């Protein structure tokens, strides 16, 4: 499986550990865990990513693999267009990303979505959401302790509230928590956020890969546009 490696926070190049440094390094962000993006997509790629998550969890003693969320069933006309993960041999996998593409739910034309699960401090979700830093808290559109959730999904069958983040105008970003880690759902264009009005069910590909998933051309956003 061909894999591109980059910084999860800025998308720039990273250097692996060497005799002088024990961590991966980015010129912009310093010490980071590497982001791995599969260069192609298909059933064998997703199965390979699933196996990597399971092996990484076993290696570092995690109780279960990091979830890898995918809408299932897929919205009408949508396809899976990419997968990625953050981590290395020592850390295990600390974040995942799944990209999907399809017809916009409101506007005519194509739409894209990236769904991210990550532990605090990774910075992959905030990068795709278009907000600085690694913590989405300061950028929620309202105090989540006092604000009714702006959207809801079902993650592995569990109702999961999401709150809108203050993201750039070209996208829409919702953030919540599922299985003890951050859950980001980011769409392009912003109007594609109405996809969540359809009541998305998120399936964990780390547990099982549906045999009827449909795959499309690699996501431009997962591969560097965002």
């Amino acid at each position: 499986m061909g894999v591109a490696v980059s910084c999860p926070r800025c998308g720039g190049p990273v250097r692996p550990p060497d005799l002088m440094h024990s961590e991966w390094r980015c010129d912009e962000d310093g010490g980071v865990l590497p982001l791995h993006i599969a260069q192609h997509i298909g059933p064998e790629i997703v199965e390979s990513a699933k196996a990597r998550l399971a092996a990484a969890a076993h290696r570092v003693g995690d109780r279960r693999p990091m979830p890898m969320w995918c809408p299932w069933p897929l919205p009408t006309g949508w396809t899976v267009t990419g997968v990625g993960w953050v981590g290395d041999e020592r850390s295990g996998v600390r974040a995942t990303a799944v990209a999907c593409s399809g017809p916009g739910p409101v506007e005519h034309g194509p739409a894209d979505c990236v769904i991210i699960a990550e532990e605090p401090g990774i910075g992959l979700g905030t990068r795709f959401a278009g907000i600085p830093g690694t913590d989405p808290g300061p950028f929620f559109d309202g105090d989540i302790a006092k604000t009714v959730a702006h959207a809801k999904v079902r993650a592995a069958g569990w109702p999961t509230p999401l709150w809108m983040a203050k993201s750039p105008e070209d996208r829409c970003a919702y953030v919540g928590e599922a299985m003890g880690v951050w859950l980001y759902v980011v769409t392009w264009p912003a109007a594609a956020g109405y996809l969540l009005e359809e009541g998305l069910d998120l399936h964990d590909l780390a547990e099982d890969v549906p045999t009827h998933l449909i795959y499309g051309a690699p996501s431009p956003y997962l591969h560097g546009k965002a």
Side-chain angles (χ1 to χ4, degrees):
M1 174 171 55
V3 175
V5 182
S6 61
C7 174
R9 299 177 185 175
C10 71
V14 290
R15 299 187 300 278
D18 54 30
L19 292 176
M20 299 296 295
H21 301 87
S22 61
E23 58 189 4
W24 291 75
R25 287 156 293 132
C26 167
D27 288 342
E28 181 73 21
D29 294 290
V32 296
L33 291 173
L35 167 64
H36 310 263
I37 300 292
Q39 294 179 324
H40 304 284
I41 191 63
E44 70 287 351
I45 300 295
V46 178
E47 286 287 356
S48 178
K50 173 179 177 288
R52 286 171 183 259
L53 296 182
H58 177 76
R59 186 169 58 249
V60 300
D62 284 348
R63 186 166 53 88
R64 57 168 296 147
M66 175 67 63
M68 186 164 59
W69 298 116
C70 176
W72 185 252
L74 288 166
T76 302
W78 281 65
T79 62
V80 177
T81 55
V83 294
W85 59 95
V86 175
D88 62 14
E89 292 293 321
R90 294 184 304 167
S91 71
V93 174
R94 296 304 174 209
T96 63
V98 174
C100 300
S101 303
V106 176
E107 299 176 342
H108 295 294
D112 291 89
C113 175
V114 175
I115 302 172
I116 294 156
E118 71 170 22
E119 293 185 351
I122 298 299
L124 183 64
T126 49
R127 169 190 159 194
F128 281 95
I131 56 182
T134 61
D135 178 11
F139 301 95
F140 282 122
D141 191 8
D143 183 349
I144 63 172
K146 302 176 182 178
T147 305
V148 175
H150 299 119
K152 291 183 180 180
V153 297
R154 292 180 64 84
W158 291 92
T160 303
L162 301 174
W163 286 266
M164 188 177 291
K166 296 176 181 177
S167 56
E169 294 182 356
D170 69 331
R171 72 199 74 182
C172 181
Y174 290 93
V175 189
E177 179 271 328
M179 292 191 180
V181 296
W182 287 117
L183 166 63
Y184 292 78
V185 180
V186 186
T187 66
W188 295 263
Y194 283 99
L195 189 68
L196 278 73
E197 297 294 326
E198 300 177 3
L200 283 183
D201 285 308
L202 300 182
H203 175 76
D204 185 4
L205 297 179
E207 291 291 327
D208 174 66
V209 180
T211 57
H212 299 298
L213 277 181
I214 303 171
Y215 301 92
S219 164
Y221 293 96
L222 196 59
H223 288 81
K225 188 173 179 180

